Amino acid sequence: MEGRAAAAPRGPRAPALCLLAALALRFVRVGCEQGPPGPVYLPAALELLDAPEHFCVQQLGRYPPANASLAARSETFLLLQPWPRAQPLLRASYPPFATQQVVPPRLAEPHQRPVPWDVRAVSVEAVATPAEPHARVLFHLKGQDWPPGPGSLPCARLHATHPTGTAHRACRFQPSLGACVVQLEFPAHWFRPGPTQAALAYTLEPAAQGPGGCGPGGEDPGERALPVGSVELRPADPPRYQEVPLDEAVTLRVPDVPVRPGQRFSASLLLRHNFTAGVLTLRIKVKKGLHVTAARPAQPTLWAAKLDRLKGSKHHTTLITCHRAGATAPDASSPGELSEFLWVDFLVDNGTSGGLAVTRPVTWQLEYAGQAPEAEKDKMVWEVPVSERDIRALVPLAKAEELVNTAPLTGVPRRVPVRLVTVDSGGALEEVTEHVGCESANAQVLQVSEACDAVFVTGKESRGARGLRVDFWWHRLRASLRLTVWAPLLPLRIELTDTTLEQVRGWRVPSPAEGAPGPEAAAGEEAERRARGCRLQYQRAGVRFLAPFAAHPLDGGRRLEHLLGPDWLLDVSRLVAPHARVQDPRVASLEGGRVLVGLEPGVTAIEVRSPLSDSILGEQALAVTDDKVSVLELRVQPVMGLGLALSRGTAHPGEVTATCWAQAAVPAPKQEVALSLWLSFSDHTLAPAELYPRQDLGLSVSAEEPSAVLPAEGRGARLGVVVSGAGAEALPLHVSLHPPEPCRRGRHRVPLASGTTWLGLPPAPTPAPALPSGPAGSPPATEASVGGGGRAAGSVGGGGGVRGKFEGTEEAGQEGEDESEAGEEEGEEEEMVPAPRRVTNLELGMYALLGIFCLAILIFLVNGVVFVLRYQRKEPPDCAPDPASPQPHNWVWLGTDQEDLSRQLDRQPPGPLEGERGCPCESGAGEALTLAPAPPAAGPPGPPGPPARKEAGGRRKRVEFVTFAPAPPAQPPEEPAGAPAVQSILVAGEEDIRWVCEDMGLKDPEELRSYMERIRGSS
């Protein structure tokens, strides 16, 4: 029973201990797997010049390798219009150093070779015949902004390849349209029996002084040529005509090509073989400028034709009456077959079209004998295109074939200009602006202007598309333009370098509510007032707004095609920054759309609202707490120059990756050095010093040798020095971070953090010699960042001014003042403590596991002590008396059954012990109750006493005192072993009576007597 009773209370705690151990192991595992706090890089500015539309892009889950070092930075850019007026430049700057490079040319498909221009090639002719042995290809520069001058645009050379030979022809781009047409004539021996093909390709070359502004060419281009397509070579010219039925038996066949002024052409009438009418009248009505000259039967032996002309003010009418001349010979052909029976000749007047294509309507009407004239059901209108030029094709020219729809983010519509040009048989180009029509295949993705001179998006579009068709037409010519529209996928992704901003311990900055000092204030009072107006600095975080762009399928499917790839995001910070804000401006603020500044503790969020509908485009929660963090160290990188490298990517033709790095070497005399700083906080976050205002940073630089470095002024660097002398070895520099000068009081003059860097390659590590004994607590001279005799230093603080610290006596005096002020400010709430060494995640996990084990041991010990104290007095008595056993427990019997009480009283051994004292207590009505003392626990039981007398009157309430005492050595056989010995209150001792009185809330025997009287009265 003892073992069971002892094990019972520990059972429920065992699973809890196992759970705590499992959580500790999980913490250790997570801590070991946790990656670095974030990417570090050289905070140099990378920007594109002369690039009107570009984006900085970022790949999810992968930072460039260069963004893992303090000495380098890498960024990827996307140029959507890669060929603007001037060749784009990429500039890298970190004041006072800067460098730039020309963006390399884009890579052209399919061999991924760089080309200097972005050219679109359109093949006008698909078929060539001996009658028209020409291939016409239009070349167009997509970017229509190019530098002025005759020699700025290149030449395009077309190469035709056939199994029997090659042919070449070149053209020079016209500055007005940025386009040109190459008309290449195929040799006659290329047209063999049976269709063959000639492959077309082109190359770009600079302009020359030869005929047409291009060189002679003629050499084999090899792999430099870019493909255009192919042209089918046919030995015969296929007819080009249209057939229109006039009724069920007569069909009109007309040419399907534009005609020129002064040109003659013919139209044919065809009859079915089952035509039985003997007389047929054809009424032809034409406008001025077009004449019917003759009507010739195809079979003069069967049909005869008579021509009559009627002239009007606007129209000329011609009647052609056809009669059968003889009987129709039997024909074995099918009755539904057609055969020519009449040719009608037309003539076009000269100089009527004005150079552009116009139409001449011709009305045809059939009349039979007995039919009412001018029957509307038998009229057919044929429009004859007339032009002084032999126009072969209509081609739309767009400035770009790709559009990134940023209108939903900015509210500004995006447009792509479009120009329509015609190509004639001689290769001439002509722009058309009138009588044009256009239509978009999906207005929910892309819209087209009413003048057909641009396609645009307004921001209300909800989808994107790849290869969306826009149709254009001009008279009878039609053309299509296919464009790709990339739409943003919402919500936006808002990236913060730190989502929890905390106070920085010891870093006090001037409060923005600080008032202007009065003219009568003394210098000391002004310094004191400024110190009282300082507040703790909160951490700052960088903000980036990213969005993926995708195109939806044209068939309505759900599979999206992403720009660059599904894991690439475009940085739209410069677009949405005017529409970004913090929900609670009291908690945090957004500076310049790029830096998040904590103001006071609270929880809020950054949100971007749509300028069109005021809906939320993206949201990111953040918290500002009053928890304290420390600046553990300064990571310092010297910059003595910048290097830059550019490379083209393969995910998109406009992808460019730029990598810049800091140049560091042994400094030369008078060499200026800029220092890049990163702040490492105790919450495992990193932040560049560029996030904080210059007036909030108090920075100092010290060197090992006096006057080795001097502060650099006026070059724009946040922290810079000038090396006054050059040595053969590397020079170490120590950088310290302080609060700004107005907030340096007492302990706040101690550096917040410090770091060390080397100008040049550091020397190889050698075993450190034993340091001589000195005063306790004095740091080595090589680790101090400020002070110390013979050490030169320069500091940057307050508003960015530079102050020299070269005097050793002044430094010593300053240290004494610091110590005195530190003693006066011991009661300050904020005090500087030495920055602790960074604890690794593995150490944190091990410490947590050790703490949990110690807690488990402590719980086990407390559990054991509680168990012993709770259960030591409730153990069953032993059979043999034990003199050393503790005092038995005393119990109070509360009952109303008189017989049970008498039975238990009869079991009490008779006779009280001698020498015990009693405390008489009257029971009322003259009856005296005697109290018998309980036997002591340490001694043997005494002789049995007389049993208590039962009262004669009914059942009464009794209060009995029951004592579990050790059983006597010899017990009657009829009594069960281990039965409790019951003693009445009549035989209890004085101590027991006092215990009963205290347990019942009675202080003395008089109160007990009153209580017994109330019991008797109630019974």
Side-chain angles (χ1 to χ4, degrees), residues 318-335:
T318 301
L319 294 178
I320 301 175
T321 304
C322 300
H323 301 270
R324 285 187 181 271
T328 302
D331 193 352
S333 59
S334 173

Side-chain angles (χ1 to χ4, degrees), residues 453-471:
D453 58 351
V455 292
F456 64 93
V457 290
T458 62
K460 299 181 180 180
E461 296 81 10
S462 58
R463 296 168 59 87
R466 188 175 182 88
L468 180 66
R469 189 184 76 255
V470 180
D471 298 323

Side-chain angles (χ1 to χ4, degrees), residues 48-54 79 81-90:
L48 276 168
L49 305 178
D50 298 327
E53 186 177 8
H54 65 277
L79 283 77
Q81 296 180 8
W83 315 116
R85 178 178 299 274
Q87 200 164 4
L89 298 175
L90 201 147

Side-chain angles (χ1 to χ4, degrees), residues 146-231:
W146 43 81
S152 60
L153 297 181
C155 290
R157 184 170 299 277
L158 182 65
H159 307 272
T161 303
H162 191 264
T164 60
T166 59
H168 310 273
R169 188 73 182 269
C171 71
R172 185 175 179 180
F173 287 92
Q174 301 177 10
S176 58
L177 294 174
C180 69
V181 176
V182 173
Q183 180 170 304
L184 177 63
E185 183 176 358
F186 298 122
H189 64 274
W190 286 16
F191 297 93
R192 299 178 178 179
T196 57
Q197 288 187 347
L200 303 179
Y202 76 96
T203 55
L204 297 177
E205 57 188 41
Q209 299 297 330
C214 300
E219 67 278 359
D220 186 9
E223 295 184 355
R224 296 184 297 107
L226 301 175
V228 175
S230 61
V231 175

Side-chain angles (χ1 to χ4, degrees), residues 708-735:
V709 294
L710 299 174
E713 300 181 6
R715 295 295 301 275
R718 184 171 294 266
L719 180 62
V721 296
V722 176
V723 180
S724 59
E729 298 180 356
L731 178 65
L733 293 181
H734 306 278
V735 183

Side-chain angles (χ1 to χ4, degrees), residues 87-141:
Q87 200 164 4
L89 298 175
L90 201 147
R91 186 173 185 267
S93 61
Y94 191 83
F97 307 105
T99 182
Q100 63 184 17
Q101 282 190 14
V102 177
V103 175
R106 68 185 305 170
L107 301 178
E109 298 289 347
H111 304 292
Q112 294 295 324
R113 293 186 307 273
V115 293
W117 298 90
D118 187 14
V119 176
R120 176 191 175 203
V122 180
S123 180
V124 177
E125 306 291 346
V127 178
T129 61
E132 288 288 340
H134 298 93
R136 299 179 182 90
V137 178
L138 182 146
F139 296 97
H140 171 235
L141 297 176

Side-chain angles (χ1 to χ4, degrees), residues 53-72:
E53 186 177 8
H54 65 277
F55 293 91
C56 182
V57 297
Q58 176 180 324
Q59 191 173 11
L60 286 177
R62 176 182 176 271
Y63 289 99
N67 285 354
S69 170
L70 293 173

